[in-house]
Amino acid sequence: MSAASAASPLHHGQPAAVLINPQELADLEDALALAQYRARQAPGEATGVPHEQVRAQLGLGHAS
């Protein structure tokens, strides 16, 4: 096996492994979430959740 093929993330033409910095992964996940939100927002599918409802769902009670 050559050094070039050993460094390749492909095995028999299929993805085998990808190494990524944890911060880069977090940044990519944030960018994906924002893009998905904007895609839902465009046709009016995105809706907000009232602050009090979120607090209740998390068991935090009423804001003081």
Side-chain angles (χ1 to χ4, degrees):
M1 179 181 295
S2 72
S5 64
S8 173
L10 297 179
H11 181 67
H12 298 291
Q14 299 295 318
V18 176
L19 302 178
I20 187 168
N21 175 304
Q23 183 58 53
E24 289 178 288
L25 176 60
D27 292 345
L28 288 170
E29 290 173 333
D30 289 347
L32 175 61
L34 183 57
Q36 290 172 330
Y37 171 75
R38 288 182 175 159
R40 288 190 316 271
Q41 192 177 33
E45 295 176 16
T47 59
V49 178
H51 185 78
E52 288 299 320
Q53 182 179 343
V54 172
R55 290 185 63 81
Q57 289 175 342
L58 295 174
L60 299 175
H62 294 288
S64 45

Short mmCIF file of all heavy atoms in Angstrom, two decimals:
data_model
loop_
_atom_site.label_atom_id
_atom_site.label_comp_id
_atom_site.label_asym_id
_atom_site.label_seq_id
_atom_site.Cartn_x
_atom_site.Cartn_y
_atom_site.Cartn_z
N MET A 1 0.87 -1.17 0.00
CA MET A 1 0.00 0.00 0.00
C MET A 1 0.91 1.23 0.00
O MET A 1 1.80 1.34 0.81
CB MET A 1 -0.91 -0.02 1.23
CG MET A 1 -1.81 1.19 1.31
SD MET A 1 -2.89 1.22 2.78
CE MET A 1 -3.93 -0.18 2.48
N SER A 2 0.62 2.17 -0.88
CA SER A 2 1.44 3.39 -0.95
C SER A 2 1.05 4.36 0.14
O SER A 2 -0.03 4.25 0.73
CB SER A 2 1.27 4.05 -2.32
OG SER A 2 0.00 4.64 -2.41
N ALA A 3 1.94 5.32 0.41
CA ALA A 3 1.66 6.33 1.43
C ALA A 3 0.43 7.14 1.05
O ALA A 3 -0.37 7.50 1.91
CB ALA A 3 2.86 7.25 1.61
N ALA A 4 0.24 7.41 -0.24
CA ALA A 4 -0.91 8.19 -0.69
C ALA A 4 -2.21 7.45 -0.42
O ALA A 4 -3.18 8.02 0.06
CB ALA A 4 -0.79 8.54 -2.16
N SER A 5 -2.24 6.15 -0.69
CA SER A 5 -3.48 5.41 -0.46
C SER A 5 -3.73 5.18 1.03
O SER A 5 -4.87 5.09 1.46
CB SER A 5 -3.46 4.08 -1.22
OG SER A 5 -2.43 3.25 -0.72
N ALA A 6 -2.67 5.09 1.83
CA ALA A 6 -2.84 4.92 3.27
C ALA A 6 -3.46 6.16 3.90
O ALA A 6 -4.18 6.07 4.89
CB ALA A 6 -1.51 4.62 3.92
N ALA A 7 -3.21 7.34 3.32
CA ALA A 7 -3.74 8.58 3.86
C ALA A 7 -5.13 8.89 3.34
O ALA A 7 -5.79 9.78 3.82
CB ALA A 7 -2.79 9.73 3.52
N SER A 8 -5.58 8.16 2.35
CA SER A 8 -6.88 8.41 1.73
C SER A 8 -8.00 8.00 2.68
O SER A 8 -7.95 6.93 3.30
CB SER A 8 -7.00 7.62 0.43
OG SER A 8 -8.30 7.74 -0.09
N PRO A 9 -9.05 8.82 2.76
CA PRO A 9 -10.18 8.45 3.62
C PRO A 9 -11.14 7.48 2.94
O PRO A 9 -12.22 7.23 3.42
CB PRO A 9 -10.85 9.79 3.90
CG PRO A 9 -10.55 10.60 2.69
CD PRO A 9 -9.18 10.16 2.24
N LEU A 10 -10.74 6.91 1.78
CA LEU A 10 -11.61 5.99 1.06
C LEU A 10 -11.07 4.56 1.17
O LEU A 10 -9.87 4.33 1.15
CB LEU A 10 -11.72 6.38 -0.41
CG LEU A 10 -12.34 7.73 -0.70
CD1 LEU A 10 -12.35 8.00 -2.19
CD2 LEU A 10 -13.74 7.81 -0.14
N HIS A 11 -11.97 3.63 1.28
CA HIS A 11 -11.64 2.22 1.31
C HIS A 11 -12.57 1.54 0.32
O HIS A 11 -13.79 1.55 0.51
CB HIS A 11 -11.82 1.66 2.72
CG HIS A 11 -11.47 0.20 2.83
ND1 HIS A 11 -10.18 -0.26 2.68
CD2 HIS A 11 -12.25 -0.87 3.06
CE1 HIS A 11 -10.18 -1.56 2.84
NE2 HIS A 11 -11.43 -1.96 3.07
N HIS A 12 -12.04 0.99 -0.74
CA HIS A 12 -12.85 0.39 -1.80
C HIS A 12 -13.88 1.37 -2.33
O HIS A 12 -15.03 1.02 -2.58
CB HIS A 12 -13.54 -0.89 -1.32
CG HIS A 12 -12.59 -1.97 -0.91
ND1 HIS A 12 -11.80 -2.65 -1.81
CD2 HIS A 12 -12.27 -2.46 0.31
CE1 HIS A 12 -11.06 -3.53 -1.16
NE2 HIS A 12 -11.31 -3.43 0.14
N GLY A 13 -13.47 2.65 -2.45
CA GLY A 13 -14.36 3.67 -3.01
C GLY A 13 -15.41 4.19 -2.06
O GLY A 13 -16.22 5.03 -2.42
N GLN A 14 -15.43 3.73 -0.82
CA GLN A 14 -16.42 4.16 0.17
C GLN A 14 -15.73 4.95 1.28
O GLN A 14 -14.61 4.62 1.65
CB GLN A 14 -17.14 2.95 0.78
CG GLN A 14 -17.90 2.12 -0.22
CD GLN A 14 -19.04 2.88 -0.85
OE1 GLN A 14 -19.77 3.60 -0.18
NE2 GLN A 14 -19.20 2.74 -2.16
N PRO A 15 -16.40 5.97 1.83
CA PRO A 15 -15.79 6.71 2.95
C PRO A 15 -15.48 5.76 4.11
O PRO A 15 -16.30 4.92 4.46
CB PRO A 15 -16.87 7.71 3.35
CG PRO A 15 -17.76 7.82 2.16
CD PRO A 15 -17.70 6.49 1.46
N ALA A 16 -14.28 5.89 4.65
CA ALA A 16 -13.87 5.02 5.75
C ALA A 16 -13.74 5.81 7.05
O ALA A 16 -14.20 5.37 8.09
CB ALA A 16 -12.55 4.35 5.41
N ALA A 17 -13.13 6.99 6.99
CA ALA A 17 -12.94 7.80 8.19
C ALA A 17 -12.57 9.21 7.78
O ALA A 17 -11.92 9.42 6.77
CB ALA A 17 -11.84 7.21 9.06
N VAL A 18 -13.00 10.14 8.59
CA VAL A 18 -12.64 11.55 8.39
C VAL A 18 -12.25 12.11 9.74
O VAL A 18 -12.98 11.96 10.71
CB VAL A 18 -13.82 12.36 7.81
CG1 VAL A 18 -13.46 13.82 7.69
CG2 VAL A 18 -14.24 11.80 6.46
N LEU A 19 -11.07 12.70 9.81
CA LEU A 19 -10.61 13.32 11.04
C LEU A 19 -10.89 14.81 10.96
O LEU A 19 -10.58 15.44 9.96
CB LEU A 19 -9.11 13.08 11.24
CG LEU A 19 -8.69 11.61 11.29
CD1 LEU A 19 -7.19 11.50 11.43
CD2 LEU A 19 -9.40 10.88 12.41
N ILE A 20 -11.49 15.36 12.01
CA ILE A 20 -11.85 16.77 12.01
C ILE A 20 -11.68 17.33 13.41
O ILE A 20 -11.96 16.64 14.40
CB ILE A 20 -13.28 16.99 11.48
CG1 ILE A 20 -13.60 18.45 11.33
CG2 ILE A 20 -14.30 16.29 12.34
CD1 ILE A 20 -14.86 18.75 10.55
N ASN A 21 -11.23 18.54 13.49
CA ASN A 21 -11.07 19.24 14.76
C ASN A 21 -12.45 19.41 15.41
O ASN A 21 -13.41 19.76 14.74
CB ASN A 21 -10.43 20.61 14.44
CG ASN A 21 -10.30 21.49 15.62
OD1 ASN A 21 -11.27 21.79 16.31
ND2 ASN A 21 -9.09 21.96 15.85
N PRO A 22 -12.59 19.17 16.71
CA PRO A 22 -13.89 19.32 17.38
C PRO A 22 -14.52 20.71 17.19
O PRO A 22 -15.74 20.82 17.03
CB PRO A 22 -13.59 19.06 18.85
CG PRO A 22 -12.37 18.19 18.83
CD PRO A 22 -11.57 18.67 17.64
N GLN A 23 -13.72 21.76 17.18
CA GLN A 23 -14.27 23.10 16.99
C GLN A 23 -14.79 23.27 15.57
O GLN A 23 -15.83 23.88 15.36
CB GLN A 23 -13.22 24.18 17.30
CG GLN A 23 -13.76 25.60 17.19
CD GLN A 23 -14.95 25.85 18.13
OE1 GLN A 23 -14.86 25.60 19.32
NE2 GLN A 23 -16.06 26.32 17.58
N GLU A 24 -14.07 22.71 14.59
CA GLU A 24 -14.55 22.78 13.21
C GLU A 24 -15.86 22.02 13.05
O GLU A 24 -16.76 22.47 12.35
CB GLU A 24 -13.51 22.21 12.25
CG GLU A 24 -12.28 23.09 12.09
CD GLU A 24 -11.26 22.47 11.16
OE1 GLU A 24 -10.61 21.48 11.58
OE2 GLU A 24 -11.14 22.97 10.03
N LEU A 25 -15.98 20.88 13.73
CA LEU A 25 -17.22 20.12 13.69
C LEU A 25 -18.36 20.93 14.28
O LEU A 25 -19.45 21.00 13.71
CB LEU A 25 -17.08 18.79 14.44
CG LEU A 25 -18.34 17.95 14.54
CD1 LEU A 25 -18.86 17.57 13.16
CD2 LEU A 25 -18.07 16.70 15.38
N ALA A 26 -18.13 21.57 15.41
CA ALA A 26 -19.16 22.40 16.04
C ALA A 26 -19.56 23.55 15.11
O ALA A 26 -20.75 23.85 14.98
CB ALA A 26 -18.67 22.96 17.37
N ASP A 27 -18.58 24.16 14.45
CA ASP A 27 -18.88 25.25 13.51
C ASP A 27 -19.71 24.74 12.33
O ASP A 27 -20.67 25.42 11.91
CB ASP A 27 -17.59 25.89 12.99
CG ASP A 27 -16.83 26.65 14.06
OD1 ASP A 27 -17.41 26.94 15.14
OD2 ASP A 27 -15.64 26.95 13.83
N LEU A 28 -19.38 23.56 11.82
CA LEU A 28 -20.16 22.99 10.72
C LEU A 28 -21.58 22.66 11.15
O LEU A 28 -22.54 22.89 10.40
CB LEU A 28 -19.46 21.73 10.18
CG LEU A 28 -18.20 21.96 9.38
CD1 LEU A 28 -17.49 20.63 9.12
CD2 LEU A 28 -18.50 22.66 8.08
N GLU A 29 -21.73 22.12 12.36
CA GLU A 29 -23.07 21.81 12.87
C GLU A 29 -23.89 23.08 13.06
O GLU A 29 -25.09 23.09 12.75
CB GLU A 29 -22.96 21.03 14.19
CG GLU A 29 -22.44 19.63 13.99
CD GLU A 29 -22.17 18.90 15.30
OE1 GLU A 29 -21.89 19.54 16.32
OE2 GLU A 29 -22.21 17.66 15.27
N ASP A 30 -23.26 24.15 13.54
CA ASP A 30 -23.96 25.43 13.69
C ASP A 30 -24.40 25.96 12.33
O ASP A 30 -25.54 26.43 12.17
CB ASP A 30 -23.07 26.46 14.38
CG ASP A 30 -22.85 26.17 15.85
OD1 ASP A 30 -23.57 25.32 16.42
OD2 ASP A 30 -21.94 26.80 16.44
N ALA A 31 -23.50 25.90 11.36
CA ALA A 31 -23.82 26.39 10.01
C ALA A 31 -24.95 25.57 9.40
O ALA A 31 -25.85 26.12 8.76
CB ALA A 31 -22.58 26.34 9.13
N LEU A 32 -24.94 24.25 9.60
CA LEU A 32 -26.00 23.39 9.10
C LEU A 32 -27.34 23.74 9.75
O LEU A 32 -28.36 23.86 9.08
CB LEU A 32 -25.67 21.92 9.33
CG LEU A 32 -26.77 20.93 8.95
CD1 LEU A 32 -27.09 21.01 7.47
CD2 LEU A 32 -26.35 19.51 9.35
N ALA A 33 -27.34 23.90 11.07
CA ALA A 33 -28.58 24.23 11.78
C ALA A 33 -29.14 25.55 11.29
O ALA A 33 -30.36 25.68 11.08
CB ALA A 33 -28.33 24.28 13.29
N LEU A 34 -28.28 26.54 11.09
CA LEU A 34 -28.74 27.85 10.60
C LEU A 34 -29.29 27.73 9.18
O LEU A 34 -30.34 28.29 8.87
CB LEU A 34 -27.59 28.86 10.65
CG LEU A 34 -27.94 30.29 10.24
CD1 LEU A 34 -29.08 30.85 11.09
CD2 LEU A 34 -26.70 31.17 10.34
N ALA A 35 -28.62 26.98 8.32
CA ALA A 35 -29.09 26.80 6.95
C ALA A 35 -30.44 26.08 6.93
O ALA A 35 -31.34 26.45 6.16
CB ALA A 35 -28.06 26.02 6.14
N GLN A 36 -30.60 25.06 7.77
CA GLN A 36 -31.87 24.34 7.84
C GLN A 36 -32.99 25.25 8.35
O GLN A 36 -34.12 25.22 7.84
CB GLN A 36 -31.74 23.11 8.73
CG GLN A 36 -30.90 22.02 8.10
CD GLN A 36 -30.62 20.88 9.05
OE1 GLN A 36 -30.55 21.05 10.28
NE2 GLN A 36 -30.45 19.69 8.50
N TYR A 37 -32.70 26.08 9.35
CA TYR A 37 -33.68 27.02 9.87
C TYR A 37 -34.10 28.01 8.78
O TYR A 37 -35.28 28.26 8.58
CB TYR A 37 -33.11 27.78 11.07
CG TYR A 37 -34.00 28.91 11.52
CD1 TYR A 37 -35.18 28.65 12.23
CD2 TYR A 37 -33.69 30.23 11.22
CE1 TYR A 37 -36.01 29.68 12.63
CE2 TYR A 37 -34.51 31.27 11.62
CZ TYR A 37 -35.68 30.99 12.32
OH TYR A 37 -36.50 32.01 12.70
N ARG A 38 -33.11 28.56 8.06
CA ARG A 38 -33.42 29.53 7.00
C ARG A 38 -34.22 28.88 5.88
O ARG A 38 -35.08 29.52 5.29
CB ARG A 38 -32.14 30.16 6.49
CG ARG A 38 -31.56 31.13 7.49
CD ARG A 38 -30.32 31.81 6.98
NE ARG A 38 -29.88 32.82 7.94
CZ ARG A 38 -28.66 33.29 8.00
NH1 ARG A 38 -27.73 32.87 7.14
NH2 ARG A 38 -28.34 34.19 8.90
N ALA A 39 -33.96 27.61 5.59
CA ALA A 39 -34.72 26.90 4.56
C ALA A 39 -36.18 26.73 4.99
O ALA A 39 -37.09 26.83 4.17
CB ALA A 39 -34.08 25.56 4.27
N ARG A 40 -36.41 26.47 6.29
CA ARG A 40 -37.79 26.36 6.80
C ARG A 40 -38.45 27.73 6.89
O ARG A 40 -39.65 27.86 6.70
CB ARG A 40 -37.79 25.70 8.18
CG ARG A 40 -37.48 24.24 8.18
CD ARG A 40 -37.74 23.61 9.56
NE ARG A 40 -37.26 24.37 10.68
CZ ARG A 40 -36.04 24.28 11.22
NH1 ARG A 40 -35.16 23.44 10.70
NH2 ARG A 40 -35.70 25.00 12.26
N GLN A 41 -37.66 28.75 7.19
CA GLN A 41 -38.17 30.10 7.38
C GLN A 41 -38.68 30.68 6.06
O GLN A 41 -39.68 31.38 6.04
CB GLN A 41 -37.06 30.97 7.94
CG GLN A 41 -37.49 32.32 8.45
CD GLN A 41 -36.31 33.07 9.05
OE1 GLN A 41 -35.18 32.94 8.59
NE2 GLN A 41 -36.57 33.86 10.08
N ALA A 42 -38.01 30.39 4.97
CA ALA A 42 -38.36 30.96 3.66
C ALA A 42 -39.82 30.70 3.29
O ALA A 42 -40.53 31.64 2.95
CB ALA A 42 -37.40 30.44 2.59
N PRO A 43 -40.32 29.45 3.36
CA PRO A 43 -41.73 29.23 3.01
C PRO A 43 -42.68 29.46 4.19
O PRO A 43 -43.85 29.15 4.11
CB PRO A 43 -41.75 27.77 2.56
CG PRO A 43 -40.66 27.12 3.33
CD PRO A 43 -39.59 28.18 3.47
N GLY A 44 -42.17 29.98 5.30
CA GLY A 44 -43.03 30.27 6.45
C GLY A 44 -43.26 29.09 7.36
O GLY A 44 -44.19 29.10 8.16
N GLU A 45 -42.43 28.06 7.28
CA GLU A 45 -42.61 26.87 8.11
C GLU A 45 -42.00 27.03 9.50
O GLU A 45 -42.35 26.30 10.41
CB GLU A 45 -41.99 25.66 7.42
CG GLU A 45 -42.69 25.27 6.14
CD GLU A 45 -41.99 24.12 5.43
OE1 GLU A 45 -41.17 23.44 6.06
OE2 GLU A 45 -42.26 23.92 4.25
N ALA A 46 -41.04 27.92 9.66
CA ALA A 46 -40.38 28.09 10.95
C ALA A 46 -41.30 28.85 11.90
O ALA A 46 -41.88 29.85 11.54
CB ALA A 46 -39.06 28.83 10.78
N THR A 47 -41.41 28.33 13.09
CA THR A 47 -42.23 29.00 14.10
C THR A 47 -41.42 29.14 15.37
O THR A 47 -40.54 28.33 15.66
CB THR A 47 -43.51 28.19 14.40
OG1 THR A 47 -43.14 26.90 14.86
CG2 THR A 47 -44.39 28.06 13.17
N GLY A 48 -41.74 30.15 16.13
CA GLY A 48 -41.08 30.36 17.39
C GLY A 48 -41.82 29.68 18.52
O GLY A 48 -42.97 29.28 18.38
N VAL A 49 -41.13 29.52 19.64
CA VAL A 49 -41.73 28.95 20.84
C VAL A 49 -41.62 30.01 21.92
O VAL A 49 -40.53 30.51 22.18
CB VAL A 49 -41.01 27.66 21.27
CG1 VAL A 49 -41.62 27.10 22.55
CG2 VAL A 49 -41.03 26.63 20.16
N PRO A 50 -42.74 30.36 22.54
CA PRO A 50 -42.69 31.38 23.60
C PRO A 50 -41.74 30.99 24.74
O PRO A 50 -41.63 29.81 25.09
CB PRO A 50 -44.13 31.45 24.11
CG PRO A 50 -44.96 30.89 22.99
CD PRO A 50 -44.09 29.87 22.31
N HIS A 51 -41.07 31.97 25.28
CA HIS A 51 -40.09 31.78 26.34
C HIS A 51 -40.68 30.99 27.52
O HIS A 51 -40.04 30.05 28.03
CB HIS A 51 -39.58 33.15 26.81
CG HIS A 51 -38.49 33.07 27.81
ND1 HIS A 51 -37.19 32.79 27.49
CD2 HIS A 51 -38.52 33.23 29.17
CE1 HIS A 51 -36.46 32.77 28.59
NE2 HIS A 51 -37.23 33.04 29.62
N GLU A 52 -41.85 31.35 27.96
CA GLU A 52 -42.47 30.67 29.10
C GLU A 52 -42.73 29.20 28.80
O GLU A 52 -42.61 28.35 29.68
CB GLU A 52 -43.76 31.38 29.52
CG GLU A 52 -43.53 32.71 30.20
CD GLU A 52 -42.72 32.56 31.48
OE1 GLU A 52 -42.94 31.60 32.25
OE2 GLU A 52 -41.85 33.41 31.72
N GLN A 53 -43.09 28.88 27.55
CA GLN A 53 -43.34 27.49 27.18
C GLN A 53 -42.04 26.68 27.24
O GLN A 53 -42.03 25.55 27.73
CB GLN A 53 -43.94 27.41 25.77
CG GLN A 53 -44.27 25.99 25.33
CD GLN A 53 -44.87 25.95 23.94
OE1 GLN A 53 -45.32 26.94 23.41
NE2 GLN A 53 -44.87 24.77 23.34
N VAL A 54 -40.96 27.25 26.78
CA VAL A 54 -39.67 26.57 26.85
C VAL A 54 -39.26 26.34 28.30
O VAL A 54 -38.83 25.24 28.67
CB VAL A 54 -38.58 27.37 26.11
CG1 VAL A 54 -37.20 26.78 26.34
CG2 VAL A 54 -38.87 27.44 24.62
N ARG A 55 -39.42 27.36 29.14
CA ARG A 55 -39.08 27.21 30.56
C ARG A 55 -39.91 26.10 31.19
O ARG A 55 -39.39 25.29 31.97
CB ARG A 55 -39.27 28.54 31.29
CG ARG A 55 -38.25 29.59 30.91
CD ARG A 55 -38.40 30.86 31.77
NE ARG A 55 -38.15 30.60 33.17
CZ ARG A 55 -36.92 30.54 33.72
NH1 ARG A 55 -35.85 30.71 32.98
NH2 ARG A 55 -36.77 30.30 35.01
N ALA A 56 -41.20 26.04 30.85
CA ALA A 56 -42.06 25.00 31.40
C ALA A 56 -41.62 23.61 30.92
O ALA A 56 -41.58 22.65 31.70
CB ALA A 56 -43.52 25.26 31.01
N GLN A 57 -41.27 23.49 29.63
CA GLN A 57 -40.82 22.20 29.09
C GLN A 57 -39.53 21.74 29.75
O GLN A 57 -39.31 20.54 29.90
CB GLN A 57 -40.64 22.30 27.57
CG GLN A 57 -41.94 22.42 26.82
CD GLN A 57 -41.74 22.64 25.33
OE1 GLN A 57 -40.68 23.04 24.88
NE2 GLN A 57 -42.80 22.40 24.57
N LEU A 58 -38.69 22.68 30.14
CA LEU A 58 -37.44 22.35 30.79
C LEU A 58 -37.59 22.21 32.31
O LEU A 58 -36.62 21.93 33.00
CB LEU A 58 -36.38 23.41 30.47
CG LEU A 58 -35.97 23.51 29.00
CD1 LEU A 58 -35.03 24.70 28.78
CD2 LEU A 58 -35.32 22.22 28.54
N GLY A 59 -38.79 22.43 32.82
CA GLY A 59 -39.03 22.32 34.23
C GLY A 59 -38.44 23.45 35.04
O GLY A 59 -38.09 23.28 36.20
N LEU A 60 -38.31 24.63 34.44
CA LEU A 60 -37.68 25.77 35.11
C LEU A 60 -38.70 26.71 35.76
O LEU A 60 -38.30 27.68 36.38
CB LEU A 60 -36.81 26.55 34.11
CG LEU A 60 -35.68 25.73 33.50
CD1 LEU A 60 -34.96 26.54 32.44
CD2 LEU A 60 -34.71 25.25 34.55
N GLY A 61 -39.96 26.44 35.59
CA GLY A 61 -40.98 27.30 36.21
C GLY A 61 -41.06 28.66 35.57
O GLY A 61 -40.63 28.87 34.44
N HIS A 62 -41.58 29.62 36.32
CA HIS A 62 -41.77 30.99 35.80
C HIS A 62 -40.51 31.81 36.00
O HIS A 62 -39.79 31.64 36.98
CB HIS A 62 -42.95 31.66 36.52
CG HIS A 62 -44.25 31.01 36.23
ND1 HIS A 62 -44.87 31.11 35.03
CD2 HIS A 62 -45.03 30.21 36.99
CE1 HIS A 62 -46.00 30.40 35.06
NE2 HIS A 62 -46.12 29.84 36.27
N ALA A 63 -40.29 32.72 35.03
CA ALA A 63 -39.14 33.64 35.14
C ALA A 63 -39.40 34.61 36.27
O ALA A 63 -40.53 35.03 36.49
CB ALA A 63 -38.92 34.37 33.82
N SER A 64 -38.36 34.98 36.97
CA SER A 64 -38.54 35.92 38.08
C SER A 64 -38.27 37.32 37.64
O SER A 64 -37.75 37.63 36.63
CB SER A 64 -37.62 35.56 39.24
OG SER A 64 -36.33 35.27 38.80
#
